[in-house]
Amino acid sequence: MTRRTILKGLTAAPFAAAAGSLIPTVAEAATINAGQFSLTSRSTNGYGEFADLTAGLATKLTKVDATTVIAGTNRSATHLTSAPSTVEAFSTGFAWDGGDQAVDYWIPQGVTTSADAYGNGLYPAGGTNRVVLVSWYFETDPDGDGTDEYSLDKGLRLTLVDYTTSTKPTYRHVLLVEPVMSDTGEYSFNPIRKHAGGILWYGNLLYVVDTYKGLRVFDLNTLFKVATAEVDVCGLHTDGSYYGYGYQYVLPQSHAYDNAGTYLRYTTIGLDRTSTPDSLVVSEYSKSGAVDYTDGTFNGTAPGTTTPKVVRWNLDYTNRQLASLTASEAVTVAQEKIQGVVSHNSKYYLSTSAGPSTKGSLRTVNSGASTATTVCDLAIGCEDLSFHSSGASGWAYSESVIWNLSEYAGKRYVYAVHADGS
């Protein structure tokens, strides 16, 4: 089965309530024991320390940071002057160029912005860039008929969008990779063949959900420039050059947090700057209200309740890593097809999808409330969410907005809606 079949068939002050299913609107939520959800911190893979492997690559390749990539964007997006598709409460957004709008094997999934990375919304710290990041996964069987149309799975890519001039957004794709040693003992890297359903940018770190395993972490201060001639080669090639499937830059993994407690489906991830301390939240996707823990090999001790959950971990602002490996809060959410969850103060927002021909929905519930309400309609194929506070002084809107994106070819938009639905 393809990742689409497997995964598509299927974040908060204290969670006192959460949104209910689309019909009815009455929420059914319960706070559960957060201590059962835990992670282990991992600085190595089977080839050694991530830091050592990356240092080895730095002796072979030119190292750059994300600001270099942003300064050298090579594609132009189309600024949206009105709401796309079925979107309501539209604020701003863009559409990909014709190639990325139509390509069937790269599927956009996660979204985060420099308003997540830094409180003023600008990147880097002390800089002036307004940036949107989007994750994509490679689908070998885009029509879902069980037969691969593309034999080579190229893994994951990340798009860095320069949104500093919102009327003329530009962008560049980079390949996400895992540093390794080759069979001949040379420093190299491999593609990461996962789903990347949600991403979170916090300081210099990018968190990417790994559905069955936990969280992968990438340092945006460390990318490598590689050769581009070989579009079907990743890593060190027989000609002595390094390639990243034709992309000019690769971003190597720098750390991992592996699930160690009760099973959790790491579907999407979001940042909460209104909690103390800052925290990240992870939510689960379910096709019909029950989370599937049988379709893959899950890290952890055992499955718990199959009701979808939202689980929170506190963050350490000083190093941008987790402050604790044990979750600080957890709640069950009686809502199917959750594609994104964010929170701000005591209000929780959920994006819920409804297939390839029906509009999605942004829903919300207040802490202590019993009924979830629809904020506004989202695009068909809505995915991840990212909250953008009006308090982001360097990249401020007149009111807070929530970023979302849509995945289906020909209907792909990255956009923000008013958080109050106005």
Side-chain angles (χ1 to χ4, degrees), residues 51 141 144 178 180 264 319 382:
D141 179 20
E178 183 170 358
V180 299
L264 187 67
N319 59 19
C382 65

Side-chain angles (χ1 to χ4, degrees), residues 362-376:
L362 179 66
R363 315 195 77 219
T364 189
V365 63
N366 287 316
S367 177
S370 61
T371 303
T373 58
T374 296
V375 177
C376 63

Side-chain angles (χ1 to χ4, degrees), residues 223-290:
L223 296 92
F224 293 111
K225 187 175 183 179
V226 296
T228 59
E230 296 288 346
V231 297
D232 291 332
V233 176
C234 180
L236 179 62
H237 194 35
T238 54
D239 65 2
S241 295
Y242 290 82
Y243 298 95
Y245 291 137
Y247 296 110
Q248 190 171 55
Y249 299 99
V250 298
L251 174 58
Q253 184 175 341
S254 61
H255 200 79
Y257 291 101
D258 299 328
N259 194 67
T262 300
Y263 289 176
L264 187 67
R265 193 177 193 95
Y266 289 78
T267 299
T268 189
I269 187 172
L271 175 69
D272 187 352
R273 283 191 175 277
T274 64
S275 62
T276 303
D278 293 348
S279 57
L280 65 80
V281 284
V282 171
S283 67
E284 298 184 294
Y285 179 92
S286 68
K287 186 175 181 180
S288 57

Side-chain angles (χ1 to χ4, degrees), residues 77-150:
T78 300
H79 174 62
L80 297 174
T81 58
S82 61
S85 181
T86 56
V87 174
E88 296 179 324
F90 174 75
S91 175
T92 189
F94 62 90
W96 306 106
D97 72 10
D100 289 321
Q101 186 66 248
V103 65
D104 61 351
Y105 47 80
W106 282 114
I107 315 295
Q109 293 291 288
V111 65
T112 185
T113 78
S114 50
D116 282 336
Y118 295 101
N120 67 357
L122 300 178
Y123 178 80
T128 59
N129 295 312
R130 302 172 181 181
V131 184
V132 179
L133 302 183
V134 172
S135 63
W136 310 60
Y137 76 93
F138 195 96
E139 177 56 77
T140 57
D141 179 20
D143 63 7
D145 65 355
T147 301
D148 287 342
E149 283 73 46
Y150 305 96

Side-chain angles (χ1 to χ4, degrees), residues 33-40 212-214 257-266 293 298-304 313 325-327:
N33 175 24
Q36 66 185 297
F37 301 103
S38 62
L39 292 156
T40 57
Y212 309 116
K213 305 299 184 182
Y257 291 101
D258 299 328
N259 194 67
T262 300
Y263 289 176
L264 187 67
R265 193 177 193 95
Y266 289 78
Y293 298 118
F298 282 81
N299 280 356
T301 53
W313 277 270
L325 297 176
T326 302

